[in-house]
Amino acid sequence: MAISQELYPSQEDLLYEEEILRNPFSLKLWWRYLIAKSDSPFRKRFLIYERALKALPGSYKLWHAYLRERLELVRNLPVTHSQYETLNNTFERALVTMHKMPRIWIMYLHTLTEQKLITRTRRTFDRAICALPVTQHDRIWEPYLVFVSQRGIPIETSLRVYRRYLKYDPSHIEEFIEFLVNSSLWQEAAERLASVLNDNQFYSIKGKTKHRLWLELCDLLTRHATEVSGLNVDAIIRGGIRKFTDEVGRLWTSLADYYIRRGLLEKARDVFEEGIATVVTSNDFAVIFNAYSQFEESLSAQILDNASSDEEEEDMLENGVDEEDEDLRLDINLSIAKLEQKLLHKFWLHDNKDADLRLVRWEYLIDRRTELHNSVLLGQNPHNVQQWHHRVKIFEGNPTKQILTYTEAVRTVDPMKAVGKPHTLWVSFAKLYEDHNDVNNARVIFDKAVQVNYKAVDHLASVWCQWAEMELRHKNFKGALELMRRATAEPSVEVKRRVAADGNEPVQIKLHRSLRLWTFYVDLEESLGTLESTRKVYERILDLRIATPQIIINYALLLEEHKYFEDAFKVYERGVKIFKYPHVKDIWVTYLSKFVKRYGKSKLERARELFEHAVETAPADAVKPLYLQYAKLEEDHGLAKRAMKVYDQATKAVPNNEKLSMYEIYIARAAEIFGVPKTREIYEQAIESGLPDKDVKTMCSKYAELEKNLGEIDRARGIYVFASQFADPRSDPDFWAQWNDFEVQHGNEDTFREMLRIKRSVSASYSQVFM
């Protein structure tokens, strides 16, 4: 075969050829030669590479460059081209000396992978792993796993490779599990995932938590329930329920789904019921209940769909008289299923028509939703009184269940831990019996209720009051009074001593001091008892020192109604001694008004003493109505001078913000009784009494108006001059306009100029103050 002329060395190549002849083992000379021929055809460079590698077969640089050029040559060729086989042979020759170079192996393996040579590629990967040191195996395993994960690779080959890889690096087991899942190898995937979860030292390189791995295992087991065996799925999922409380609803539905896929429908129903009974959050309850209702709905729909086809088959079996007359044992072609169907179709135990039962179950589940949800809420806090009341409403129309619910509630709720008012459970329980005309049982419930140690005395008092009200509704008035006497009876000394020794004082010991109870009791006595019994109750309230101002007033009014006026006033006296301001204010006002109305002028001195005592004890902000009432007494039944004296005392006793109004009342009364001139002294006293500046100015304006009406022009002008020091012309133009009108009507040019001078002076003084 003739050699092409272009393969011979050219004139320019002779220089490189001569140097190589002198030193054929110099890599530098061969490399310079190749660089110089970089633009030459590959066939010529191929000869140079072959000659160089023959001289230097251990040169990684030459082999790498040669193989790269050969790879570039076949890049656009189909994998069936002969050049690929030449390339593979070149790689094999290179690996004779380059078997420790991972880069050469990786190039070769990528090339074989692209050629889809499965067996040769697998064997080459195995050779590379055997040839390279362990420290470099990770560079080979990465493309090896990519290769076995491709389509067309036998599953058994991939499994064996992954198992070998896990011996090299067990931390990548998650990739193996993903491969098993993608390959539908559910059994081994579940086993591997379970082993990972059982390994306490396992650390996920993909950042997955144990929680997420648990959920993946549960999904795997439930979705492929019939394909996974050998694992205790029930125990696995229940372990997850105990460990991961935030996914309880999802795990319960997964467990039920597992049994549904296994065909164990009753077991699945039991799981749903157990899940609903054990969850503690509304969210988990909603997840389980929705899955449960869908399960029942799908079963009902399936039964209804199959009903028509079952009827047709049954008709065929009933019409097949000839077939039944034959001996079934002689039909060797009859399958077991058909034989069973022919033999058992007439037996009622073999009847599958339970569509009505399925529908009733589904409706019953829907009807129980509110009850089940309430059970979940009570599971969160069994001491929630409001939820127990709501549970009773759920069973409205079913007294038996309501009674059972109340019984469970009063046994469960601890009054010390209750959220709400636990006594309302007892009261509603008794009311239930009362509504059904069973008063005797209602009394039994109340009798037990008053023995409970509530958190607050008011709760126990409410129970006693409700019991008494029930007796009143049934016209048992004596019974109601007797109940109140029992409730308000003070415990004996022996009982108190025993309780003090125990150290845990129940509310029953404090009940006799309950104001609510005594108020109800006294109302009963007023309505049903006698005056003497009612007075005893009021006196007992006062002795216990639990009375309120309103009780004092009510007691006094009761005595007044029965004409015991002096006794009523004694009650008022006791009230004003017991209470202080501001609580005693209503007692004083009522006491004084009743006393004056009763005795008027006949006991004037005593009334004065009462008023004096009242104004002495009253604070400044509450004394004004008492003084006005006192002054009214003097005006109506006493002396006018004493009335003026009272008004004068009042102007000094009231706070500054009420002095102006008090002086106005004082002036008005003085003018009416003694005439207008008498008010001059009061005006002057008011102006000099230390009123606020704006009130002094107001008082001066009224005083000046009075003098003007009396014709005392000069006195009025003098008052205006005095008041001008309190009126800034810029902020109080009304005062200066009033003075201006006065001068226009009653003054002259000199007095008008004097007013303007004073105005300028006052304006200047205010300007200096605010500078």
Side-chain angles (χ1 to χ4, degrees):
M1 180 178 178
I3 299 175
S4 175
Q5 187 66 30
E6 64 179 7
L7 298 180
Y8 284 99
S10 63
Q11 190 68 28
E12 293 82 4
D13 300 340
L14 294 179
L15 178 62
Y16 298 105
E17 292 288 347
E18 289 177 358
E19 290 180 349
I20 288 172
L21 287 175
R22 287 194 293 270
N23 188 5
F25 304 107
S26 174
L27 173 63
K28 184 177 180 181
L29 296 177
W30 286 108
W31 194 251
R32 286 170 57 189
Y33 193 6
L34 289 168
I35 292 174
K37 305 303 290 182
S38 59
D39 296 332
S40 300
F42 176 73
R43 293 182 62 192
K44 189 169 185 178
R45 290 172 57 78
F46 159 71
L47 292 176
I48 297 173
Y49 272 119
E50 289 291 342
R51 289 168 57 199
L53 290 170
K54 186 176 182 180
L56 298 169
S59 173
Y60 170 78
K61 189 172 184 179
L62 287 174
W63 277 115
H64 186 262
Y66 185 27
L67 294 172
R68 285 181 64 84
E69 290 198 24
R70 276 207 167 274
L71 285 171
E72 193 65 31
L73 180 67
V74 302
R75 183 176 299 278
N76 298 321
L77 298 177
V79 294
T80 57
H81 199 276
S82 59
Q83 283 291 343
Y84 271 98
E85 186 61 32
T86 305
L87 174 63
N88 295 340
N89 294 333
T90 305
F91 270 112
E92 291 291 344
R93 288 192 295 118
L95 289 173
V96 172
T97 55
M98 297 290 106
H99 58 277
K100 297 296 181 183
M101 299 300 174
R103 188 61 203 160
I104 303 298
W105 282 108
I106 292 172
M107 292 170 63
Y108 187 21
L109 294 169
H110 278 303
T111 303
L112 292 176
T113 303
E114 291 175 0
Q115 296 176 54
K116 307 296 183 182
L117 303 175
I118 297 175
T119 303
R120 186 172 181 177
T121 304
R122 177 178 58 79
R123 291 176 177 173
T124 305
F125 270 113
D126 294 340
R127 286 167 53 204
I129 291 174
C130 293
L132 291 173
V134 178
T135 55
Q136 294 180 342
H137 282 190
D138 58 330
R139 302 180 65 180
I140 303 299
W141 276 114
E142 184 178 352
Y144 201 177
L145 296 178
V146 173
F147 164 68
V148 298
S149 299
Q150 291 179 343
R151 289 186 178 180
I153 307 298
I155 296 297
E156 187 62 28
T157 300
S158 302
L159 283 176
R160 292 178 180 272
V161 171
Y162 265 107
R163 288 168 185 160
R164 286 171 54 201
Y165 175 60
L166 290 180
K167 293 181 179 179
Y168 166 71
D169 187 1
S171 64
H172 287 74
I173 191 171
E174 290 173 274
E175 297 178 5
F176 183 36
I177 294 172
E178 289 182 6
F179 169 76
L180 292 172
V181 171
N182 294 332
S183 302
S184 301
L185 299 174
W186 315 116
Q187 179 68 37
E188 188 171 355
E191 292 175 354
R192 292 282 183 173
L193 196 52
S195 65
V196 165
L197 289 170
N198 290 329
D199 185 4
N200 294 327
Q201 297 180 348
F202 173 75
Y203 176 76
S204 174
I205 61 175
K206 293 191 174 184
K208 292 183 179 180
T209 61
K210 282 286 185 74
H211 174 252
R212 184 175 175 185
L213 293 173
W214 264 104
L215 296 180
E216 289 181 1
L217 177 60
C218 293
D219 290 342
L220 181 63
L221 294 174
T222 54
R223 292 177 182 175
H224 309 284
T226 59
E227 300 167 4
V228 178
S229 61
L231 293 176
N232 190 346
V233 179
D234 190 282
I236 291 173
I237 297 181
R238 287 180 185 274
I241 290 171
R242 289 189 298 270
K243 194 170 184 179
F244 305 109
T245 56
D246 56 336
E247 292 287 348
V248 170
R250 178 179 173 183
L251 292 174
W252 277 115
T253 54
S254 297
L255 181 57
D257 189 29
Y258 167 75
Y259 286 115
I260 293 171
R261 292 177 187 271
R262 294 289 298 271
L264 303 173
L265 302 183
E266 291 300 324
K267 183 65 176 176
R269 188 175 287 109
D270 293 341
V271 169
F272 277 126
E273 291 288 347
E274 183 182 357
I276 288 176
T278 56
V279 294
V280 294
T281 65
S282 297
N283 187 30
D284 290 334
F285 168 78
V287 171
I288 299 176
F289 186 85
N290 291 337
Y292 193 6
S293 60
Q294 289 175 7
F295 163 67
E296 293 289 0
E297 183 181 5
S298 62
L299 285 181
S300 302
Q302 183 180 3
I303 293 295
L304 293 175
D305 291 341
N306 295 335
S308 57
S309 59
D310 291 343
E311 289 177 0
E312 293 176 2
E313 292 179 3
E314 194 172 294
D315 293 339
M316 292 176 62
L317 289 172
E318 290 177 355
N319 295 329
V321 178
D322 296 335
E323 294 181 2
E324 288 186 3
D325 293 339
E326 297 177 359
D327 192 349
L328 299 175
R329 293 173 296 178
L330 300 178
D331 189 355
I332 61 174
N333 297 321
L334 196 64
S335 65
I336 295 175
K338 290 184 178 179
L339 178 62
E340 180 182 351
Q341 189 176 20
K342 286 177 175 292
L343 291 174
L344 302 178
H345 79 278
K346 288 186 178 181
F347 291 92
W348 67 273
L349 285 172
H350 190 64
D351 188 9
N352 291 325
K353 294 182 178 180
D354 57 350
D356 293 338
L357 175 62
R358 300 289 185 187
L359 289 173
V360 169
R361 272 182 171 171
W362 181 35
E363 292 174 358
Y364 178 60
L365 175 64
I366 299 300
D367 293 340
R368 286 195 303 148
R369 179 185 175 90
T370 308
E371 176 188 351
L372 295 173
H373 186 228
N374 179 260
S375 298
V376 172
L377 296 177
L378 286 174
Q380 295 176 1
N381 182 10
H383 307 290
N384 191 326
V385 176
Q386 187 61 35
Q387 289 302 328
W388 282 111
H389 283 300
H390 181 60
R391 189 173 185 84
V392 173
K393 288 182 180 178
I394 294 173
F395 300 124
E396 191 170 356
N398 189 345
T400 303
K401 278 209 167 187
Q402 286 183 321
I403 291 172
L404 293 175
T405 302
Y406 274 127
T407 304
E408 183 183 0
V410 297
R411 287 177 180 173
T412 304
V413 176
D414 184 351
M416 298 302 172
K417 301 177 183 177
V419 178
K421 298 178 178 180
H423 71 280
T424 57
L425 290 172
W426 289 99
V427 173
S428 300
F429 194 4
K431 187 74 166 57
L432 177 64
Y433 278 113
E434 183 189 358
D435 292 341
H436 290 81
N437 299 320
D438 192 352
V439 181
N440 291 329
N441 272 326
R443 291 191 179 105
V444 172
I445 298 300
F446 273 123
D447 189 56
K448 292 181 179 179
V450 296
Q451 299 174 27
V452 176
N453 185 18
Y454 298 100
K455 192 174 183 179
V457 178
D458 195 52
H459 294 172
L460 180 57
S462 297
V463 176
W464 281 103
C465 293
Q466 291 291 337
W467 191 358
E469 286 180 3
M470 184 193 75
E471 298 294 349
L472 292 176
R473 286 194 292 270
H474 292 276
K475 311 300 182 183
N476 186 8
F477 304 124
K478 291 183 179 180
L481 287 173
E482 185 60 32
L483 282 176
M484 288 294 100
R485 293 190 186 99
R486 280 179 55 193
T488 55
E490 185 175 359
S492 64
V493 177
E494 181 63 28
V495 173
K496 290 183 179 179
R497 186 181 299 112
R498 192 183 313 119
V499 170
D502 294 341
N504 186 15
E505 187 180 59
V507 292
Q508 281 78 4
I509 299 297
K510 307 174 185 176
L511 180 63
H512 68 284
R513 295 183 62 85
S514 171
L515 180 61
R516 179 174 185 174
L517 203 61
W518 281 105
T519 305
F520 186 81
Y521 185 17
V522 80
D523 288 342
L524 279 184
E525 287 289 356
E526 286 188 24
S527 303
L528 307 173
T530 62
L531 176 62
E532 291 304 319
S533 62
T534 308
R535 290 188 66 172
K536 287 180 180 179
V537 176
Y538 273 119
E539 290 297 332
R540 183 59 180 156
I541 294 174
L542 292 173
D543 292 341
L544 291 172
R545 302 185 68 82
I546 59 173
T548 63
Q550 188 60 49
I551 288 178
I552 297 292
I553 295 173
N554 291 344
Y555 186 16
L557 292 176
L558 174 69
L559 294 173
E560 286 182 30
E561 289 176 3
H562 292 83
K563 310 302 181 182
Y564 291 90
F565 296 105
E566 283 300 326
D567 289 343
F569 296 146
K570 288 179 182 179
V571 171
Y572 284 126
E573 288 288 347
R574 294 175 67 179
V576 297
K577 290 179 181 179
I578 294 173
F579 297 101
K580 304 296 180 185
Y581 271 92
H583 310 292
V584 77
K585 179 180 178 181
D586 293 334
I587 299 178
W588 270 119
V589 172
T590 308
Y591 182 18
L592 295 172
S593 60
K594 293 289 184 181
F595 190 88
V596 172
K597 181 180 179 181
R598 170 64 182 165
Y599 293 110
K601 190 176 182 181
S602 60
K603 293 189 178 181
L604 186 57
E605 288 301 323
R606 183 178 171 185
R608 286 170 178 167
E609 289 178 2
L610 289 176
F611 275 108
E612 290 292 340
H613 181 54
V615 297
E616 284 177 7
T617 57
D621 56 346
V623 78
K624 182 178 178 180
L626 295 175
Y627 270 113
L628 293 177
Q629 201 172 355
Y630 188 8
K632 185 72 168 59
L633 171 69
E634 293 292 349
E635 290 180 17
D636 294 343
H637 306 290
L639 300 175
K641 290 184 178 181
R642 290 189 66 90
M644 293 299 105
K645 184 179 180 181
V646 172
Y647 282 122
D648 184 60
Q649 291 176 358
T651 57
K652 297 174 182 177
V654 296
N656 289 336
N657 61 338
E658 294 183 355
K659 281 188 176 182
L660 179 61
S661 61
M662 194 66 232
Y663 270 113
E664 290 175 347
I665 297 172
Y666 185 11
I667 291 169
R669 299 309 301 156
E672 183 178 345
I673 296 172
F674 295 104
V676 174
K678 179 66 176 177
T679 59
R680 284 175 173 163
E681 298 176 4
I682 304 173
Y683 274 117
E684 292 174 1
Q685 178 185 340
I687 293 170
E688 297 173 357
S689 65
L691 288 172
D693 290 350
K694 62 177 182 178
D695 292 343
V696 172
K697 180 182 59 181
T698 303
M699 191 59 68
C700 288
S701 299
K702 293 183 177 181
Y703 190 13
E705 188 69 21
L706 172 67
E707 294 293 353
K708 184 182 75 171
N709 293 336
L710 293 176
E712 298 290 343
I713 303 302
D714 292 335
R715 289 177 62 88
R717 186 177 291 111
I719 295 170
Y720 277 121
V721 172
F722 175 78
S724 63
Q725 60 183 312
F726 304 108
D728 184 1
R730 291 169 297 182
S731 61
D732 194 5
D734 294 338
F735 172 80
W736 293 97
Q738 184 180 355
W739 192 2
N740 184 80
D741 294 341
F742 172 78
E743 293 296 344
V744 169
Q745 293 177 5
H746 305 285
N748 51 41
E749 186 176 352
D750 293 336
T751 58
F752 195 83
R753 286 179 179 175
E754 182 64 17
M755 181 201 69
L756 294 177
R757 184 190 68 78
I758 293 173
K759 184 176 181 181
R760 290 193 298 270
S761 175
V762 171
S763 179
S765 64
Y766 273 100
S767 300
Q768 292 175 0
V769 169
F770 293 105
M771 283 182 62

